[in-house]
Amino acid sequence: MTDKEFLDYQSELEETQRALREVTLMMEQSQGELSKITQRNTAISSHLQQAQKQGAAIEELKMAYDSALDAQQRLFIMRGQLEKLQNDKTHLQKYKAVLETVVNGARESSSASVSMGSSKSQMAGIEMIVNAQEAERQRLSRQMHDGPAQALSNFILQTEIAMRLMDIDPAQARDELGNLKISAMSTFQKVRNFIFELRPMMLDDLGLTPTLKKYADAFKEQTGLDVSITVTGIERRLEPYLEVMIFRSVQELLGNAARHSQATLIKVQVDLGNELIRVSVDDNGRGFDPEILKESSNLGLKLIHERAEMLGGNFEVDSSAGSGARITFTVQAKN
C-alpha cells in the first residue's frame, strides 16, 4: 500500500467514524421524539374514545379522527426513520470494521502485503447491500402508503358514515358495512403479502422447499403469470443463511421477470445437490443483451452475483433480445 492510499483509507475511516457518531446522536434524538409522539398518540386516542362515549357532534368527531390519524402517521414515520437510522448505524459499523482492518494492517507492518483488491471488493459489497436494502425499503414504503395506510384512513370515515346511517337508513348502513368488510379483507390480504415478502415465517418453520412452492403459488395468483417450480435432489434443511439467500434470489428474479421481461411463462428449477445447489429461472419474455448488466443499475442481480461468488458458486446469464432469459446461480452446499 502506498502512502497516498494509506492516507486515503485513514481519511475514509475518520469520515466513517464521524458519520457513525452523527447517526448515533440522531438515533438518541429520534428515540426521544418517538417517546413524545407515542405519549401524544395515547392522549389523542383517549380523547377520541371519550368523544365517542359522550356522543359528540359529527364535526368534533371528525376533528378527533383527523388528529388521531395524523398522530398515527407521525408515529409510523418516526418508527420508520428510527429503523432506517439503526440500519445505517449497523452498515457504518461494518464498513468501519473493514477500514480498521486495512488501516491497522498497514500500520502493523510496512512490509505486510495487504490485498487491496479484496478490501475494495468488501467495501463495494457492503455498499451494494446498503443500496439494495434501501431500494427495497423505499418500494415497500410506497406500497404501504398507497395501499394499507390509505385504506385504513378510509375505514375510519366509512365506519363513521355507517354509524350515522344506522338510525337514518339501516339498509344503506348495511351496504356501507358490507363494502367496508370487502375493503378490510382486501387490505388484510395486502398486509399479509407485505409480511410474507419481508420475512416468510414458514421459511424458519418448514424450510426452503415448501416456502418456495408457497411463494410461487402466491406470485402466480398475484401476477396472473404461469409460474412453475421444480425441486430435485435431496430435500433437506439447509443452513439458515443459505435458505434466506436462495429464497431472496428467487424472489428477486421472479419480480424482475414480471416487471421487465413481458413474460407469460416462468420456470424455476432448484437442484439440491450434495455439494452444490443450483437454481435457474427461465422466462419466455423479450430477453435482453447480458452486456447491459455491466452498466445496469439493477442492484438485485448484482447482489445475487456477489453473494453467489462469496458462497463458492457462480452466476450466469443466458439471454438475447427476443428469446427469453435464463438466469442461473450456484452456491456451495453445507452439510
Side-chain angles (χ1 to χ4, degrees):
M1 179 187 295
T2 65
D3 290 341
K4 182 179 183 305
E5 288 174 332
F6 174 78
L7 291 174
D8 287 342
Y9 278 105
Q10 190 174 41
S11 175
E12 182 69 13
L13 175 59
E14 292 171 356
E15 180 64 22
T16 302
Q17 291 172 329
R18 182 191 64 76
L20 190 56
R21 288 193 296 270
E22 290 181 357
V23 168
T24 301
L25 179 60
M26 290 175 65
M27 281 185 63
E28 293 174 355
Q29 294 172 343
S30 295
Q31 285 169 340
E33 185 66 21
L34 178 62
S35 178
K36 293 178 182 178
I37 294 176
T38 301
Q39 293 175 357
R40 182 170 179 268
N41 183 59
T42 301
I44 290 175
S45 297
S46 177
H47 172 70
L48 177 58
Q49 291 174 358
Q50 287 293 328
Q52 289 174 324
K53 289 179 180 178
Q54 295 172 2
I58 189 168
E59 266 311 310
E60 184 178 348
L61 277 174
K62 188 176 183 303
M63 291 177 62
Y65 276 127
D66 289 342
S67 297
L69 183 60
D70 180 66
Q72 290 169 358
Q73 289 175 338
R74 287 176 181 272
L75 192 62
F76 178 78
I77 292 171
M78 183 54 66
R79 284 173 176 165
Q81 179 178 329
L82 190 58
E83 181 184 356
K84 180 181 182 302
L85 288 171
Q86 180 60 60
N87 286 324
D88 289 346
K89 181 179 179 180
T90 300
H91 295 310
L92 283 170
Q93 287 172 331
K94 291 180 180 178
Y95 189 37
K96 174 174 167 283
V98 172
L99 290 171
E100 285 176 338
T101 299
V102 176
V103 172
N104 292 337
R107 283 174 177 167
E108 288 173 2
S109 174
S110 58
S111 62
S113 175
V114 180
S115 176
M116 295 303 299
S118 175
S119 299
K120 289 179 180 178
S121 176
Q122 285 180 300
M123 295 172 195
I126 292 172
E127 181 181 359
M128 190 183 302
I129 291 172
V130 171
N131 290 336
Q133 289 178 335
E134 186 61 24
E136 183 65 10
R137 288 192 194 96
Q138 290 175 349
R139 183 182 70 82
L140 289 171
S141 177
R142 285 194 300 270
Q143 288 185 337
M144 285 293 292
H145 178 272
D146 296 339
Q150 185 65 40
L152 289 172
S153 64
N154 291 335
F155 291 169
I156 297 173
L157 296 179
Q158 284 182 274
T159 303
E160 176 61 24
I161 291 171
M163 290 174 62
R164 294 298 180 181
L165 285 172
M166 281 296 183
D167 297 329
I168 303 172
D169 190 342
Q172 189 175 351
R174 282 194 296 271
D175 290 341
E176 288 292 336
L177 288 173
N179 292 333
L180 179 59
K181 180 181 178 180
I182 293 172
S183 299
M185 291 173 64
S186 174
T187 301
F188 176 68
Q189 186 58 50
K190 289 179 181 178
V191 172
R192 289 185 64 181
N193 291 340
F194 291 148
I195 293 172
F196 191 83
E197 287 190 23
L198 286 169
R199 178 68 180 186
M201 290 180 288
M202 68 183 298
L203 186 61
D204 299 315
D205 298 334
L206 302 178
L208 179 65
T209 300
T211 305
L212 283 176
K213 290 179 178 178
K214 175 69 174 177
Y215 185 77
D217 290 340
F219 190 85
K220 181 177 181 179
E221 182 178 346
Q222 292 172 24
T223 62
L225 299 177
D226 185 358
V227 181
S228 65
I229 182 164
T230 303
V231 180
T232 58
I234 304 172
E235 291 194 19
R236 63 194 187 277
R237 292 303 303 264
L238 305 174
E239 292 291 335
Y241 69 89
L242 276 178
E243 292 188 335
V244 171
M245 182 271 175
I246 294 170
F247 173 77
R248 291 301 185 200
S249 299
V250 172
Q251 187 180 39
E252 175 70 20
L253 294 174
L254 285 176
N256 281 343
R259 288 190 295 269
H260 307 302
S261 73
Q262 298 179 356
T264 59
L265 175 65
I266 306 175
K267 295 181 180 180
V268 182
Q269 294 179 304
V270 181
D271 181 30
L272 300 173
N274 288 327
E275 298 181 358
L276 199 67
I277 298 171
R278 184 176 185 274
V279 180
S280 67
V281 178
D282 295 70
D283 69 66
N284 64 348
R286 61 183 180 179
F288 58 91
D289 182 358
E291 289 297 317
I292 67 173
L293 289 179
K294 296 178 181 179
E295 306 296 330
S296 172
S297 60
N298 191 316
L299 294 173
L301 292 181
K302 292 179 180 178
L303 195 57
I304 296 172
H305 190 172
E306 181 83 10
R307 286 174 172 173
E309 291 188 343
M310 288 175 63
L311 294 174
N314 58 43
F315 178 86
E316 298 177 357
V317 177
D318 181 11
S319 180
S320 60
S323 62
R326 170 181 291 176
I327 297 179
T328 305
F329 67 90
T330 61
V331 293
Q332 291 288 336
K334 302 293 182 180
N335 296 311

